Amino acid sequence: MKDKKTLVPLLLILIGSLFYFFANFHRIAIPGAVFDILQEELKLSAPYITAFGAIFMYIYAFNQLVIGVMVERFGGLRVILAGAVILALGTLLFPISSNLILMYFSRALVGLGASMFYLSLIREIKAIVPDKDFGIAISIMLFIGYAGGIAANAPFVFAMKYMSWREILFILSGVIALAAFIFFVLTKQVTVPPVNKNVKMRLLPFRLVLHKKHNRNLFSFACCNFGISYVIQSIIGKKFLEDFCLMQSADSAMVLSIMAVIAAVFNIVNASVCKLCHNHRVIYLKYASIVTFSTLLCICICLGFCIRTKLIALLFCILAANASLTSILVPVLHLTNRKMVSGTAVSIMNFCFFTMVGILGTLSGFLLNLFEPVKYGNVMVYSNLSYLAVFGTFFLLSVFEMYKAMKLSNKY
């Protein structure tokens, strides 16, 4: 009986981690892996295509500010189930639609559903896993989630050799719906805590966090560092490698999948290296800002002089490794904020992360359209001047990032 009581919650967490996998898959796959295909089918310019990613990011980001309260009030299992139903609906609606407004609405639903899993899973894992195994359990959950980002590029592109992207996404939406039904059935086998009506949204913790100048500088640095790398990984990177570096679709997709692997691994690597450096976390962040600046400068030089080298793929991987700083940023926030508001500080940082990705995704679409693309068959190819406008903007943002990093205090 005891084994059954342990087994069902573990199964619920495993299925919840599967939802987290699909959330990450859809966050990166659309429009990144199918940029050209969407543009060809829908006959749209770049801003309309990048909007598929931006809408997801805006909804996902906003919900980071309220999801913590929802989890505390309704419990992790209820929030996961609600997120799964919304995710299933959004992922089903997207591949069966050709109406742009309906497709945008489906992306909003996917973003809303996807935002409900991370904190919910952490809460449920904490409830059943002993403290000595908590870190391992979290790392397994995160690995499953990051695997979704890996699958969203090279494996997804490979699968499109055998069936259309709409058929693939339709099948995956069916898997999500089935998993949601199983999750619902299993929740009937466990005791779900009652709704805690005493938990309410309060503005005071947000005010206390944002009042601190150190927090504002850290958020500014972090959102630029993460936003630049993630908009490349999820929205424009694959298209850029094909247009400017003349890489094949499968090869460029492989680069983006490698970026996802690196992003997953380097959260552990960066934390370990920082520990070896006596946990001088702020100094480590300052060096990270210099890496971002230097890497984007190299990309801009390649664009300015039309150097079509595949080494840019390596620079992308450097950006991915350099942006995997959550394992350092979260401890800094906990050290520099009171315990009662440290969780709020983390939620604000997550909000900043994905809001920046949304803004840069939207901006990238308009910048690509500054110069007329060339049409080769049914594919629109953007010039190096268009990409120079995009990456030049990223470079200027890296200057601001470096400025904010240098203003971080070494004194906790």
Side-chain angles (χ1 to χ4, degrees):
M1 188 70 178
K2 185 177 179 181
D3 290 341
K4 183 180 178 181
K5 287 183 178 179
T6 306
L7 179 61
V8 175
L10 283 174
L11 284 173
L12 287 168
I13 289 172
L14 182 61
I15 297 172
S17 299
L18 182 64
F19 295 140
Y20 189 44
F21 169 93
F22 285 117
N24 280 283
F25 177 90
H26 279 272
R27 185 162 66 189
I28 290 179
I30 311 296
V34 290
F35 195 108
D36 281 336
I37 297 173
L38 287 172
Q39 198 165 41
E40 179 184 345
E41 286 189 10
L42 302 174
K43 311 298 182 187
L44 296 172
S45 60
Y48 293 98
I49 302 300
T50 57
F52 287 123
I55 289 170
F56 178 105
M57 298 300 174
Y58 290 136
I59 299 297
Y60 189 97
F62 175 78
N63 218 33
Q64 297 307 301
L65 300 178
V66 298
I67 193 66
V69 176
M70 290 174 60
V71 171
E72 291 297 323
R73 184 179 176 90
F74 298 104
L77 294 179
R78 289 191 183 93
V79 175
I80 290 171
L81 181 58
V85 172
I86 296 170
L87 182 68
L89 180 60
T91 56
L92 173 64
L93 194 57
F94 189 80
I96 65 173
S97 306
S98 293
N99 178 276
L100 187 60
I101 300 301
L102 202 57
M103 295 180 82
Y104 283 158
F105 175 66
S106 71
R107 288 298 289 169
L109 287 177
V110 174
L112 179 61
S115 67
M116 296 185 178
F117 303 125
Y118 176 71
L119 290 177
S120 301
L121 284 167
I122 289 178
R123 177 187 171 91
E124 294 306 312
I125 290 171
K126 183 69 175 176
I128 69 165
V129 175
D131 287 343
K132 63 184 179 68
D133 299 323
F134 183 61
I136 295 174
I138 291 293
S139 66
I140 293 172
M141 182 268 287
L142 288 174
F143 177 80
I144 294 172
Y146 282 129
I150 298 167
N153 276 295
F156 184 31
V157 170
F158 177 78
M160 281 190 280
K161 292 180 179 179
Y162 303 96
M163 61 182 75
S164 73
W165 68 271
R166 290 182 183 272
E167 292 172 332
I168 296 169
L169 295 187
F170 182 79
I171 292 170
L172 293 182
S173 71
V175 174
I176 296 170
L178 177 61
F181 176 74
I182 296 172
F183 190 91
F184 171 73
V185 172
L186 288 176
T187 56
K188 299 299 182 181
Q189 310 299 315
V190 297
T191 302
V192 180
V195 175
N196 187 352
K197 296 182 180 179
N198 293 323
V199 176
K200 297 179 180 179
M201 191 77 178
R202 297 186 302 129
L203 293 178
L204 180 60
F206 292 92
R207 289 172 56 189
L208 290 174
V209 170
L210 294 174
H211 181 72
K212 291 191 67 171
K213 189 174 182 180
H214 184 273
N215 286 338
R216 297 197 301 272
N217 287 332
L218 188 67
F219 294 151
S220 298
F221 155 78
C223 73
C224 294
N225 181 270
F226 177 87
I228 292 168
S229 174
Y230 208 80
V231 78
I232 292 171
Q233 187 181 342
S234 62
I235 298 179
I236 66 162
K238 181 174 179 289
K239 177 66 173 168
F240 169 75
L241 291 174
E242 292 169 5
D243 287 359
F244 181 73
C245 299
L246 306 179
M247 294 179 68
Q248 297 296 315
S249 177
D251 294 335
S252 59
M254 181 60 70
V255 172
L256 274 294
S257 285
I258 292 171
M259 283 183 71
V261 174
I262 288 171
V265 171
F266 264 78
N267 256 311
I268 300 172
V269 172
N270 284 328
S272 301
V273 173
C274 188
K275 186 176 181 179
L276 291 174
C277 298
H278 307 289
N279 278 330
H280 293 306
R281 296 183 180 92
V282 169
I283 295 176
Y284 198 90
L285 298 179
K286 291 179 179 181
Y287 280 120
S289 71
I290 296 172
V291 172
T292 304
F293 171 87
S294 303
T295 306
L296 288 168
L297 177 60
C298 291
I299 294 174
C300 288
I301 290 172
C302 290
L303 284 164
F305 290 96
C306 202
I307 304 172
R308 298 180 185 273
T309 173
K310 293 182 180 179
L311 288 176
I312 289 178
L314 176 62
L315 297 177
F316 278 8
C317 292
I318 292 172
L319 286 174
N322 192 58
S324 299
L325 298 174
T326 303
S327 55
I328 297 174
L329 291 165
V330 171
V332 170
L333 286 173
H334 279 274
L335 285 167
T336 55
N337 291 275
R338 286 180 285 176
K339 187 176 180 180
M340 63 174 288
V341 298
S342 58
T344 301
V346 174
S347 70
I348 292 174
M349 183 176 70
N350 286 338
F351 167 79
C352 293
F353 277 169
F354 293 102
T355 299
M356 180 58 78
V357 177
I359 291 171
L360 292 181
T362 302
L363 186 60
S364 296
F366 287 103
L367 290 174
L368 285 176
N369 259 18
L370 285 178
F371 300 93
E372 190 72 24
V374 178
K375 193 169 185 179
Y376 291 96
N378 293 318
V379 177
M380 304 296 291
V381 176
Y382 295 91
S383 69
N384 61 318
L385 289 177
S386 294
Y387 285 112
L388 184 58
V390 173
F391 283 91
T393 301
F394 293 172
F395 174 72
L396 293 176
L397 197 60
S398 75
V399 176
F400 174 75
E401 171 193 329
M402 189 162 54
Y403 168 72
K404 286 296 183 179
M406 298 308 164
K407 291 177 74 67
L408 293 174
S409 173
N410 292 317
K411 298 179 181 178
Y412 295 147

